Amino acid sequence: MLLLVNLFSWEQSMPATGLLWSSVNRDPALTQIPVLQIVKESQQQHGLRHGDFQRYRGYCSRRLRRLRKTLNFKMGNRHKFTGKKVTEEILSDNRYLLLILMDAERAWSYAMQLKQEANTEPRKRFHLLSRLRKAVKHAEELERLCESNRVDAKTKLEAQAYMAYLTGMLRFEHQEWKAAMEAFNKCKTIYEKLANAFTEEQAVLYNQRVEEISPNIRYCAYNIGDQSAMNELMQMRLRSGGTEGLLAEKLEALITQTRAKQAATMSEVEWRGRTVPVKIDKVRIFLLGLADNEAAIVQAENEETRERLFESLLSECRDAIQAVREDLKPDQKQREHSLESDSGKVSNIQYLHSYLTYIKLSTAIKRNESMAKSLQKALLQQQRSEEDGKRTPRPQDLIRLYDIILQNLVELTQLPGLEEDKNFQKEIGLKTLVYKAYRCFFIAQSYVLVKKWSEALVLYERVLKYAGEVQSGAGAFTNSLKELPDVQDLITQVNAEKYSLQAAAILDANDNHETESPSQVKDGKPLSERFETFCLDPSLVSKQVSLVHFPPGFQPIPCKPLFFDLALNHVAFPPLEDKVEQKAKSGLTGYIKGIFGFKS
């Protein structure tokens, strides 16, 4: 009842002048605290940007300790606990309200930490519910204190919204869908009114919280019995590229369960005039969600969301292809004899594999084409980006994307079961010509940047040739080529680029002719060899100045002489027989003399 009175009194005061809120907020006698702003800033700066609830819980504990110490509001000492409660008499300082808010945030962060751990340890769910009840209890105390006349109206409403938010989360975990939806609706209503009451900058936080609550409300409505809420949930999930937070796991499980029910009625799929039975559940679920995913990609609000959706679709497609491959492995004989002897067609499971591969390659082509369009827009704004000092995209970036697209098109032509499909092969051939034309165009653009005029002109002519072939052969394939880039726009752009290229080439030739004066022509010699000649050399003030030849060149030097001693062969040495002692004769006499030491 207090909530309704506050809202109605506020609504009646706002249309007149809107002075009620400003006068209340500026009254120094009233206590005020921006509940949502404090909560969001604390969460973003202390772990929740990366989903680290334990870090945020530690921050809340430390801040509580600092606040109690500053306010001298300690709960006893280390030997004895003495509980204290915040009363209305001490609300002149808004830090007492901050104490209760941090208590609630600490309990909530512990509950979210236990929620992450409960995936592997189910028993922790009981502790999770206990912590959520504790957070709701602190939020109730905060709301009760804010009902005092010492607190301004904005803080009262924010406290009521915070209380309703935590209550909704507790009821959500208890699977009390009706009570949870009522609490979330109450929270959403308050935040919407607050967003309308303030400027756009101040309303950003309130609108963000409303967006966070909306999927929870629709999920509760679906569980109550509103079937239309399921479609809204899926659209919200696809537009955002995935849901995060409290609803993420339950919403993914719900979507998978709903598609599984629909997949039970799906038994076959038709592609290019052939009907193929689908027996694998994962493939059925993927094919049922394919149309929704493609519609969400078309309706994506920005490039980042579109990229996430493309990646999600490709991931699901790869999983479906892997399931088909696993089904192909045990049937080795069927893979070896994939061509049926009577009709010449591949088997049903192989044709289904070709269909899924076609979806994967086509999605990859669309993703690369989307990236190429965003790069083309950036190229048109290149001059402004250069002035801002940011890195600008180059034509080489687009060339790489078109190379990948052409490679995917080559893989499409090699899919089993489509080799004899002439219409399919001709359609892929026309698409190949379109992307070849764009690839040649951006190669020519890269040559223009380095002033290679003749090469660029030849490539522009090649672009016109490819575009002409596409226009001449696109009679029966006009519908399939509508999704491709317009060839006529490319022809118009190439004709304009050709004229500007010819003009630039003539101007560049004239500039070169005028600048080739004797005082400006450089002969390539280093500075040490042309001291006597004056010429304007801008390289002397650059980092690659040519002062001397380094390393120096080789020069011929005399070889080291070789000496050969030839006289030694013609030298006659004198006889030395008279100087050489003759060896003493050996015998018994000599032996005896040797024993007794007699010498000759």
Side-chain angles (χ1 to χ4, degrees), residues 303 367-382 385 391-402 442:
E303 293 295 332
R367 182 194 62 182
N368 292 326
E369 185 181 344
S370 175
M371 295 171 62
K373 288 181 180 179
S374 62
L375 283 176
Q376 290 179 33
K377 293 179 182 178
L379 278 176
L380 296 177
Q381 302 174 353
Q382 185 172 5
S385 298
R391 181 190 178 277
T392 56
R394 301 173 299 170
Q396 288 84 346
D397 301 332
L398 285 159
I399 294 171
R400 175 59 183 160
L401 288 175
Y402 285 115
F442 288 108

Side-chain angles (χ1 to χ4, degrees), residues 146-164:
C146 289
E147 291 176 0
S148 171
N149 295 328
R150 300 189 178 191
V151 181
D152 69 336
K154 177 187 173 186
T155 306
K156 291 179 180 179
L157 286 177
E158 286 207 40
Q160 292 176 16
Y162 184 70
M163 166 62 189

Side-chain angles (χ1 to χ4, degrees), residues 573-586:
F573 294 98
L576 302 175
E577 288 83 358
D578 55 342
K579 299 183 181 296
V580 177
E581 294 184 3
Q582 293 185 357
K583 202 171 185 180
K585 295 182 180 180
S586 62

Side-chain angles (χ1 to χ4, degrees), residues 323-486:
V324 174
R325 286 176 181 170
E326 292 175 358
D327 198 44
L328 278 170
K329 286 179 182 178
D331 195 2
Q332 186 68 25
K333 294 182 180 180
Q334 186 176 2
R335 287 203 303 164
E336 293 176 355
H337 306 286
S338 58
L339 293 175
E340 299 176 0
S341 57
D342 54 347
S343 60
K345 297 180 180 180
V346 298
S347 61
N348 289 332
I349 190 69
Q350 185 66 48
Y351 196 76
L352 180 61
H353 183 272
S354 298
Y355 177 48
L356 294 175
T357 307
Y358 170 80
I359 294 174
K360 185 189 75 171
L361 294 174
S362 300
T363 304
I365 290 172
K366 292 178 181 178
R367 182 194 62 182
N368 292 326
E369 185 181 344
S370 175
M371 295 171 62
K373 288 181 180 179
S374 62
L375 283 176
Q376 290 179 33
K377 293 179 182 178
L379 278 176
L380 296 177
Q381 302 174 353
Q382 185 172 5
Q383 184 177 0
R384 185 177 63 184
S385 298
E386 287 177 353
E387 293 175 357
D388 295 341
K390 300 179 181 178
R391 181 190 178 277
T392 56
R394 301 173 299 170
Q396 288 84 346
D397 301 332
L398 285 159
I399 294 171
R400 175 59 183 160
L401 288 175
Y402 285 115
D403 282 336
I404 298 173
I405 291 175
L406 290 173
Q407 183 179 356
N408 291 334
L409 288 172
V410 171
E411 295 178 11
L412 282 175
T413 59
Q414 299 172 354
L415 290 177
L418 299 176
E419 298 90 343
E420 304 299 328
D421 193 340
K422 296 182 180 179
N423 291 331
F424 178 78
Q425 297 292 337
K426 188 173 181 180
E427 179 182 345
I428 298 300
L430 289 174
K431 292 182 178 180
T432 303
L433 289 176
V434 172
Y435 290 116
K436 278 186 176 181
Y438 273 89
R439 178 176 175 272
C440 283
F441 174 76
F442 288 108
I443 294 176
Q445 291 285 82
S446 64
Y447 277 119
V448 170
L449 293 178
V450 294
K451 298 184 179 181
K452 293 186 177 180
W453 314 115
S454 57
E455 291 87 346
L457 187 60
V458 171
L459 287 169
Y460 281 145
E461 294 295 337
R462 180 65 62 88
V463 172
L464 294 177
K465 175 186 173 184
Y466 286 143
E469 293 179 3
V470 171
Q471 288 183 335
S472 61
F477 303 96
T478 305
N479 294 330
S480 61
L481 297 179
K482 284 183 178 180
E483 299 179 356
L484 300 181
D486 193 0

Side-chain angles (χ1 to χ4, degrees), residues 160-173:
Q160 292 176 16
Y162 184 70
M163 166 62 189
Y165 178 71
L166 291 181
T167 303
M169 295 183 68
L170 177 61
R171 300 306 177 193
F172 193 94
E173 287 297 330

Side-chain angles (χ1 to χ4, degrees), residues 120-401:
T120 55
E121 302 177 53
R123 289 291 303 173
K124 289 192 175 182
R125 178 168 174 79
F126 297 100
H127 197 183
L128 153 69
L129 297 175
S130 174
R131 289 295 90 194
L132 272 180
R133 281 192 291 269
K134 190 71 171 179
V136 171
K137 181 180 178 181
H138 289 302
E140 287 177 351
E141 185 179 359
L142 178 64
E143 182 184 9
R144 180 184 61 79
L145 290 172
C146 289
E147 291 176 0
S148 171
N149 295 328
R150 300 189 178 191
V151 181
D152 69 336
K154 177 187 173 186
T155 306
K156 291 179 180 179
L157 286 177
E158 286 207 40
Q160 292 176 16
Y162 184 70
M163 166 62 189
Y165 178 71
L166 291 181
T167 303
M169 295 183 68
L170 177 61
R171 300 306 177 193
F172 193 94
E173 287 297 330
H174 279 293
Q175 297 185 1
E176 298 175 3
W177 308 118
K178 188 173 182 179
M181 188 172 70
E182 291 176 357
F184 283 134
N185 278 326
K186 175 181 177 181
C187 178
K188 180 181 177 183
T189 303
I190 297 174
Y191 282 132
E192 285 177 346
K193 297 297 183 180
L194 288 172
N196 295 330
F198 298 98
T199 61
E200 294 183 0
E201 296 179 357
Q202 295 174 325
V204 171
L205 283 175
Y206 301 126
N207 291 327
Q208 288 178 353
R209 180 53 68 98
V210 170
E211 292 176 1
E212 293 174 8
I213 297 172
S214 297
N216 298 337
I217 296 174
R218 283 165 173 75
Y219 187 83
C220 295
Y222 173 77
N223 284 280
I224 291 173
D226 186 1
Q227 297 296 327
S228 62
M230 180 59 194
N231 295 329
E232 295 181 9
L233 280 172
M234 295 180 66
Q235 291 299 324
M236 292 174 65
R237 169 184 171 272
L238 294 171
R239 283 197 299 268
S240 62
T243 307
E244 299 179 355
L246 176 70
L247 194 61
E249 299 176 0
K250 294 185 177 181
L251 182 57
E252 290 294 334
L254 177 63
I255 291 175
T256 304
Q257 180 182 1
T258 304
R259 287 179 178 174
K261 291 180 180 179
Q262 297 175 354
T265 61
M266 179 182 181
S267 59
E268 58 187 20
V269 64
E270 183 179 356
W271 181 53
R272 303 198 69 84
R274 179 174 174 177
T275 302
V276 180
V278 183
K279 301 179 181 179
I280 305 173
D281 291 338
K282 186 175 288 187
V283 179
R284 291 177 178 175
I285 294 172
F286 167 72
L287 293 177
L288 283 172
L290 180 61
D292 294 335
N293 290 331
E294 291 178 346
I297 290 172
V298 174
Q299 299 172 3
E301 298 177 356
N302 50 51
E303 293 295 332
E304 185 179 356
T305 303
R306 187 178 292 108
E307 182 65 22
R308 287 202 306 269
L309 291 173
F310 270 124
E311 290 298 332
S312 176
L313 178 58
L314 286 173
S315 177
E316 294 178 8
C317 187
R318 283 190 287 266
D319 293 340
I321 291 174
Q322 184 61 32
V324 174
R325 286 176 181 170
E326 292 175 358
D327 198 44
L328 278 170
K329 286 179 182 178
D331 195 2
Q332 186 68 25
K333 294 182 180 180
Q334 186 176 2
R335 287 203 303 164
E336 293 176 355
H337 306 286
S338 58
L339 293 175
E340 299 176 0
S341 57
D342 54 347
S343 60
K345 297 180 180 180
V346 298
S347 61
N348 289 332
I349 190 69
Q350 185 66 48
Y351 196 76
L352 180 61
H353 183 272
S354 298
Y355 177 48
L356 294 175
T357 307
Y358 170 80
I359 294 174
K360 185 189 75 171
L361 294 174
S362 300
T363 304
I365 290 172
K366 292 178 181 178
R367 182 194 62 182
N368 292 326
E369 185 181 344
S370 175
M371 295 171 62
K373 288 181 180 179
S374 62
L375 283 176
Q376 290 179 33
K377 293 179 182 178
L379 278 176
L380 296 177
Q381 302 174 353
Q382 185 172 5
Q383 184 177 0
R384 185 177 63 184
S385 298
E386 287 177 353
E387 293 175 357
D388 295 341
K390 300 179 181 178
R391 181 190 178 277
T392 56
R394 301 173 299 170
Q396 288 84 346
D397 301 332
L398 285 159
I399 294 171
R400 175 59 183 160
L401 288 175

